[in-house]
Amino acid sequence: MGKNYKMNNAGFSLVELIVSVLITGVLMLAVSMFLASSRNTFQTVNTSATLQEESMTTERILNEYILEAKKYGLDKNVSISGVSTDVFWVLAGENEGTSEDDVAYIFVLDKDKKVLRYCRGTEADVEPSSGKLTAGGIGTVKTRCFGSNEKYSLIANYVESMKCTPVNRPDGTDLVCLEIKYEFMGKTYTDNLTSVTRNKTGVTSVSGVPAGSGAPAGSGGGT
């Protein structure tokens, strides 16, 4: 005897459709929030790593030159080729006892592009008593750190500002305390670099900051 089967062709009810749409929406929202969180975490880690890498490169180079400094200075707000710059320089006694001028290592912060550049000059390019560049020094920096030489003189990117505090120690050596701030993708990193000189520099103030008797507290950190 045959059996009759009734087929239910009614499909999903309106309530079932609404529930399924809501569940799908909640799942998609959760997935998108997870992906956004992962992307933000990656960007934060990548940004921190980038800033610390720039900082480490700058530290290594500055430490090498500050060690042999017999004078140094920081000339603030120097206009070079129409660009506002801060210029930190180190005069090393590499040619003492010879007829050649001593070498000046010049570090130029381009505050428009937020990059730190470097070039070599001579003692004629700096004025130790005032801590400033001479007219000839400005010409040296213009030629060697700007124009076609920009990419060859680059040390670090994302540099926001520089501040220098001299420290005269009782043993006759000096500490050069540099605060260098970096900024990248909304994140800032401050590197407090403290370098010791082999020589007594006699520097008693830098850009109006008087010499202290001990190193400023603090170390590199980001926000």
Side-chain angles (χ1 to χ4, degrees), residues 12-28:
F12 293 108
S13 68
L14 179 60
V15 173
E16 289 172 329
L17 285 173
I18 292 174
V19 170
S20 64
V21 168
L22 287 175
I23 292 174
T24 302
V26 170
L27 291 174
M28 291 181 66

Side-chain angles (χ1 to χ4, degrees), residues 92-162:
E94 295 182 358
N95 295 325
E96 287 185 350
T98 73
S99 60
E100 297 182 21
D101 286 343
D102 285 329
V103 177
Y105 300 103
I106 304 172
F107 302 87
V108 185
L109 170 58
D110 181 335
K111 293 193 284 188
D112 291 349
K113 295 184 178 180
K114 297 183 179 180
V115 296
L116 187 65
R117 301 192 180 100
Y118 157 80
C119 69
R120 284 173 60 121
T122 69
E123 59 184 303
D125 292 326
V126 298
E127 178 50 62
S129 61
S130 66
K132 296 183 178 296
L133 290 180
T134 63
I138 292 176
T140 296
V141 171
K142 181 178 179 180
T143 301
R144 299 180 181 178
C145 290
F146 290 88
S148 61
N149 289 322
E150 282 188 9
K151 61 182 179 180
Y152 301 110
S153 61
L154 181 67
I155 290 179
N157 294 291
Y158 319 120
V159 183
E160 186 82 19
S161 64
M162 289 193 300

Side-chain angles (χ1 to χ4, degrees), residues 73-78 85-89 107 111 125 130-134 138 162 206-207:
L74 177 61
D75 197 356
K76 303 280 286 185
N77 302 314
V78 185
T85 70
D86 289 344
V87 181
F88 177 75
W89 56 266
F107 302 87
K111 293 193 284 188
D125 292 326
S130 66
K132 296 183 178 296
L133 290 180
T134 63
I138 292 176
M162 289 193 300
V206 176
S207 296

Side-chain angles (χ1 to χ4, degrees), residues 67 69-72 167-176 196-203 212-213:
L67 180 65
K70 69 175 188 180
K71 293 291 183 181
Y72 63 93
V167 177
N168 304 139
R169 302 201 303 179
D171 64 0
T173 61
D174 289 354
L175 294 179
V176 182
V196 64
T197 65
R198 294 185 191 274
N199 311 301
K200 184 171 178 60
T201 66
V203 174
S213 58

